[in-house]
Every structure is written in structure tokens, then in C-alpha cells.
Amino acid sequence: MNKIVFATNNAHKLQELREIVGEKFTILSLNDIDCHDDIPETCPTIEGNAEQKARFIKDNYGYDCFSDDTCLEIDALGGEPGVYSARYAAAGHDSEANMRKVLDKMQGVPMEKRTARFRTAVALILNGELHIFDGRVEGHILTEKHGDSGFGYDPIFQPDEADGRTFAQMNADEKNAISHRGRAVKKLVEFLCK
């Protein structure tokens, strides 16, 4: 296999995935297949949302496809923002507003109670079969933003494996080596290339 559709038009995700897979195969975006539909994400889990998006592309465009969904789970907030991570503060994907909401809700929470994790689920529809790959990384929510790389909640999430830096303070290779998405996609790539 040398080409597969990634059900996203998120430029940050697309770039990150292309960096992770390198030359192993070509990832096509939704724009590349002329898909401009509003793909539903109405499931209560990230695994369900990832599958829903991949099936939509397969059913409506005929391409083998993979899709991902990611969430940030903060223990002190009872697992919020969870499946609503991208739309936590508003209907749109406003990373700044989402981080502000998290930081506001976390005011006064001591560092030892600021534990959190990123989880990613990747759903692959290949030859009519569904395959799910997962990845996770544990860490803490900081009290303010650090770094200007990455996207989403990266400036306030400090992975336990990252020598005191946030994802937003790492270069792409450093982040991809330990990130939730990097771990899930590594499993996807190993499956596709075996």
C-alpha cells in the first residue's frame, strides 16, 4: 500500500502524521479527495468518533481510510474535557479558549493533583475491516502556558517522560517519540507495513 486517506483537514494533525510515517506511504487529506463534507462526530467515545469518521469516508468516497480522535482527560476535573476536548470552551476549535477554560477551572489545584493524560484512538477501515489502535501519555496540567510549538493543549500539558518541558517546548521529533498520537500511529504504521 502506498496511499491512504487520513480523514482530516486539520493542517497540524496532517503535518504531524506525515512526519511520523515519513516515506512509508503517502497520506491523502480530505481536500486531496475533494471531500468538503461536515463529517459527524457524535459518539460518546473517541474510539467511536474515529470509527464514525473513517466509515463515512469509506461509505461515501470508497477509499480505505483512517481517522483519529484525541482527548485530554484531567483527573481533578473528573475526566474533562474528554471527548469534548476540541470543543470544550465553544462549538469551534478554539485552542486558546479551551486552555483558558482548563486553567480557570484548575485554579488552586496543587501540582500533585493536576494529573492528566492524552489519549488517541486511530480507526482504520481497510478492505472492509475495522482496526483500532490506541496511544496514551500521562502527565500534568501546568498553571500557565509554556512554549509555542505544537497545537491544542500542548502549551499547558507536561508529559511525565519529558524532562520538565511541555509538548509545546519540544520539536516535532521529540514530541512524536512520546506522544499519544505518535504511539497510536506507530501501531497503525506497523500494521500497514507488515
Side-chain angles (χ1 to χ4, degrees):
M1 167 178 302
N2 53 13
K3 290 185 181 178
I4 192 165
V5 173
F6 179 20
T8 191
N9 276 324
N10 180 315
H12 294 293
K13 278 188 184 182
L14 200 57
Q15 178 182 345
E16 192 171 87
L17 264 287
R18 285 176 172 158
E19 288 167 352
I20 292 169
V21 302
E23 302 296 318
K24 293 179 178 70
F25 51 91
T26 301
I27 297 177
L28 302 176
S29 70
L30 295 177
N31 279 334
D32 293 331
I33 64 168
D34 204 28
C35 172
H36 305 288
D37 299 316
D38 187 15
I39 301 175
E41 292 182 72
T42 57
C43 295
T45 65
I46 60 172
E47 294 83 3
N49 281 334
E51 178 183 350
Q52 185 177 29
K53 292 184 284 186
R55 286 200 185 281
F56 181 91
I57 296 305
K58 182 64 175 174
D59 293 347
N60 292 282
Y61 291 84
Y63 289 95
D64 283 336
C65 174
F66 72 91
S67 177
D68 80 318
D69 199 24
T70 294
C71 69
L72 173 64
E73 299 171 336
I74 302 171
D75 295 322
L77 300 181
E80 287 184 13
V83 74
Y84 303 106
S85 293
R87 303 170 300 281
Y88 192 44
H93 295 207
D94 185 338
S95 295
E96 288 298 321
N98 289 338
M99 282 188 285
R100 274 195 310 275
K101 183 171 181 177
V102 164
L103 293 175
D104 287 348
K105 290 184 92 169
M106 296 285 289
Q107 282 187 6
V109 177
M111 188 53 74
E112 66 272 11
K113 303 239 185 216
R114 298 175 79 90
T115 53
R117 75 210 42 81
F118 271 119
R119 290 195 312 114
T120 291
V122 174
L124 169 68
I125 305 288
L126 182 66
N127 301 322
E129 293 184 6
L130 170 68
H131 306 274
I132 302 283
F133 308 94
D134 66 324
R136 66 188 292 146
V137 61
E138 300 287 334
H140 288 80
I141 300 298
L142 300 183
T143 57
E144 60 185 19
K145 298 190 311 182
H146 294 276
D148 54 11
S149 296
F151 61 99
Y153 297 93
D154 286 356
I156 62 171
F157 182 80
Q158 183 182 77
D160 291 343
E161 303 165 56
D163 65 14
R165 292 181 296 160
T166 66
F167 273 151
Q169 293 173 299
M170 299 179 190
N171 65 40
D173 289 340
E174 291 170 325
K175 178 184 175 185
N176 292 337
I178 64 168
S179 79
H180 45 294
R181 187 171 292 109
R183 288 172 172 162
V185 171
K186 182 179 181 201
K187 294 175 185 176
L188 168 71
V189 171
E190 286 172 352
F191 177 81
L192 290 172
C193 294
K194 68 180 178 183

